[in-house]
Amino acid sequence: MTEPTSASGRPLVAYPGEDTVDPSVAGNALAIRGLQKRYGDKAAVDNITLDVPVGSFFGLVGPNGAGKTTTLSMVTGLLRPDAGRIYIDGADVWRDPVRAKARMGVLPDGLRLFERLSGRELLMYMGRFRGIPVAEVRSRADELLKVLDLADAGNKLVADYSTGMRKKITLAAALLHSPRVLLLDEPLEAVDPVSARVIRTVLTRFTQGGGTVILSSHVMALVEELCDHVAVMARGQIIAAGPVAQVRGGSATLDDAFMHLVGADELAEGGLSWLRSSQD
Amino acid sequence: MVAVFAGLKWHLLLGRLRAVQKSRRPWLLLGFVVVLALVGFIAFGITTSRPYPETARVVAILMMTLQLISWVVAPLVAFGLDETVDPHRFALLPLRRGTLIRGLTVTSLIGWLPLVNLIWLLAIAVALSTSWSMLPLAVVCVLVQLLLCVVVSRAASTAMASLMNSRRGRDLGMLVGFGLFVLYMLASSLLGRSEGEGFYDGLVKVTHTLGWFPPGALARIPGLVDEGDWAQAAVAVLIVLAGLGLALFWWMKALTRTLESGSSMTESSSPSSSSAEFGALGRRATNVAGVVAARDVLLIWRDPMRRISWLVSIAMAFGWPFLVIQSGHGALFAVAFGGLMMGLQAANQLALDGSGLWLHLVMSGDRSKYRDEIRGHAVVALIPGVVVVVLATLFFAVIRSDLDLLPGALGINLGAMLGSAGFACWLSAALPYGVPQSRSSMFASAAPGQKGRSGGASLAVMGGGIAVALPAAALTLVGHYQGAVWGWAALVVGVVLGLVILQRLIEIGADKYYESGPEILHQVSAGDRV
């Protein structure tokens, strides 16, 4: 096969190598094989392999710095891996980005939006950029704004949205093109309880309709309540993965199991004695 | 406590220096030395007015008045450049108001800008000392002037702090900055055209009025004392004390109000109407390029950072030729600079939304999408760019009776614009840099540590535009000696060559964007943090 070339004459990105699909990825909404990312000497993601079944509500948990955001960034095509392959619904994210990106909806953590567009304008723009007919985009945008309780704020600039509203409008943008897989990085962090309830309801309905939700979080109670599958990450590696009940094992809660898995059973005691008395 | 504030400001200054890469620090220091040498040269120029007391007084009154105005306006235009300007940052510290005022006064006096002010003020003191015995008094006067600047500036910035912490306030700051730019252009034009005597007489009249305000009164005191006019000197001192007292009172009141109230709410600052279809252009758009262009047009109207660069470019297209060629023929060729500025509007186009670029990356999978996006951004620079360049060239051709030069000038100016737009599109992907997203200063055009990339990219865009215009310029030159037909050839060559290079650079830029999207995202996300 002739290597495609760019207008500048250089070969186009051939990452990650062979143009073959690993047959073991079939039936998975997300399949990761040998994914690696290093920053200098530190392995942020250390050769992970993971399968997320179609239709599952999947939680990716781990302490801060475990590699969750790095993993999701590579899965969504926003960060180039050093090695490994990623398949979304059978499409290689880095080899076949057209199909992969059409099948995923993304809610990243900490990235800006088009701040000077209103919520409705943002949805209209994204829908039309994706090539969805205007009338269809308008109809979907109105419905999403209504369901996500943003109808009254639809004409307000995103720059003036609260954290909860920003998460909701990003979720609306992620759902707009009806993806098969939703990839959400800390979707409920710093979100007020009302917005959190709305987001959880929408996500649950999405999985009930056959979609797959993959979310990262470090709130164990949330993952235990929402997810049917979970993977635990620590120091860039997957240290446990499977149905929630299986990962929890003999522990009373997922939180206990998590503490045991990441080796944080024994919290440091002693010190801070000066906290017992306050200053005048 | 004052020492703690002084230490804080000192460490903030050192922190900024440390943020610069080690390899670039010597160049930065060299830049400081050059600036200081320039400041010293200007200071020397001020001192040369000492043998002419009347001139020295006029210069001192004008400079000290402008200095005070600059100190008041600076925080509005560049609120985020000095971290100690915003009093909200100190709201949670257990400090009394008097302590805070003393501390903030000291922080205002530390830094390279206060140093530059001090050097110029000492030069003014020398110029005002009609006899050397008046020098100590003149030095006291200029030091009080510096204190006055600090107090008035802090009072104004404290009173505006809530506003400047809001999006609308920072937008207002950008507009004020543009107003100052236009004023500067007008003043430069007037200074360049004025007949020496008449203009000076006008300035003298203005200083008669300004002399009754605190900065002017301070400038008059040494001369009045030297002349033995004690009554007028006493009145001048009273004006200064009253001004300083009022400014201090304003600062204290503003500080109390600011520290006792929360930050500004932006709840009501949203537009009341929406244009979800992105106006007429958006409704008619049938492809990705059209949708992208429609969004960009909307954001130019809505985002002052984008709008002001357009206004400056239009002002340069029509104003620059007046400045450089004030009479006679040839001004229409100077529109080329405006053309370069128009092409520059397409520069660093992938960074204007900061990390918001991810929204495009997750939607684009194939090269055609990336090309459409770049083409859409380019169209927004090109359509108004062509209109402005053609109108400005025609305008100068008519008013300077240069219609015979029009075809060649259009070829050069349009070639420069198309070429710079092409290089802007390519370098947006090849040499992107983070654009500060906080909008806290209209002067902050690149994220810290990326000023070199920003400067390099801008120079390359301008240089590329000039290179593309060179063939048209050569043909125009030939036409000057060989006949008008060569001017028409210049028009055709300038436009055709410009379009070909533009198209090619859009393709190469889009391929680079396709190949390096994640790396570009990483680079431009640096703008989110400032």
Side-chain angles (χ1 to χ4, degrees), chain B residues 144-361:
Chain B
V144 173
Q145 160 75 3
L146 190 58
L147 184 66
L148 182 71
C149 288
V150 168
V151 173
V152 175
S153 168
R154 286 288 177 164
S157 59
T158 304
M160 293 184 298
S162 293
L163 179 67
M164 294 310 293
N165 275 315
S166 71
R167 178 174 56 76
R168 281 283 163 99
R170 292 195 291 270
D171 290 0
L172 177 68
M174 293 235 167
L175 288 175
V176 169
F178 175 68
L180 291 176
F181 171 76
V182 171
L183 277 178
Y184 166 76
M185 294 251 307
L186 286 174
S188 300
S189 182
L190 281 174
L191 281 171
R193 285 158 179 277
S194 58
E195 301 296 330
E197 287 296 317
F199 186 70
Y200 181 74
D201 289 345
L203 284 183
V204 171
K205 281 180 188 164
V206 170
T207 57
H208 284 155
T209 307
L210 294 178
W212 292 97
F213 291 90
L218 277 166
R220 286 169 56 218
I221 287 172
L224 292 171
V225 170
D226 197 34
E227 292 162 10
D229 191 346
W230 298 104
Q232 287 244 37
V235 171
V237 170
L238 281 176
I239 290 170
V240 172
L241 290 176
L244 198 57
L246 280 172
L248 196 59
F249 177 73
W250 182 24
W251 189 8
M252 289 166 75
K253 281 285 175 196
L255 202 54
T256 304
R257 197 169 50 247
T258 304
L259 296 181
E260 287 176 358
S261 64
S263 297
S264 166
M265 295 292 289
T266 55
E267 191 69 24
S268 61
S269 62
S270 306
S272 55
S273 62
S274 172
S275 55
E277 310 293 331
F278 308 115
L281 183 59
R283 277 192 294 277
R284 291 195 186 97
T286 53
N287 55 22
V288 171
V291 174
V292 170
R295 186 202 73 130
D296 283 1
V297 170
L298 182 69
L299 291 179
I300 288 169
W301 287 116
R302 199 173 277 173
D303 184 349
M305 188 183 76
R306 298 178 191 232
R307 187 167 65 234
I308 280 170
S309 65
W310 267 105
L311 292 173
V312 169
S313 301
I314 294 169
M316 292 305 279
F318 285 94
W320 177 255
F322 274 123
L323 288 181
V324 292
I325 301 171
Q326 301 198 343
S327 59
H329 298 282
L332 72 176
F333 293 110
V335 175
F337 185 63
L340 293 174
M341 295 279 288
M342 289 289 163
L344 204 57
Q345 299 309 307
N348 205 27
Q349 54 188 251
L350 304 177
L352 295 181
D353 294 302
S355 61
L357 181 69
W358 76 270
L359 287 160
H360 280 138
L361 291 182

Side-chain angles (χ1 to χ4, degrees), chain A residues 5-7 12 78 80 97 101 108 111-112 114 116 121 124-126 128-129 138 155-157 160, chain B residues 167 171 267 270 274-275 277 282 285 295 302 355 358 360-361 364 367 369 504 511 515 519 528:
Chain A
T5 56
S6 67
L12 283 179
L78 298 176
R80 196 181 303 280
K101 288 181 180 181
L111 297 183
R112 291 171 67 85
F114 297 145
R116 302 271 171 156
E121 286 166 351
M124 288 300 297
Y125 176 72
M126 295 197 69
R128 298 191 65 190
F129 192 99
R138 194 181 298 122
N155 293 337
K156 194 171 172 173
L157 295 195
D160 295 336
Chain B
R167 178 174 56 76
D171 290 0
E267 191 69 24
S270 306
S274 172
S275 55
E277 310 293 331
R295 186 202 73 130
R302 199 173 277 173
S355 61
W358 76 270
H360 280 138
L361 291 182
S364 300
R367 271 187 294 167
K369 266 274 175 66
R504 185 70 182 141
D511 281 349
E515 293 163 12
E519 289 75 21
D528 290 9

Side-chain angles (χ1 to χ4, degrees), chain A residues 185-199:
Chain A
D185 192 4
E186 304 283 2
L188 298 173
E189 190 171 72
V191 175
D192 67 279
V194 177
S195 297
R197 172 65 66 88
V198 171
I199 292 173

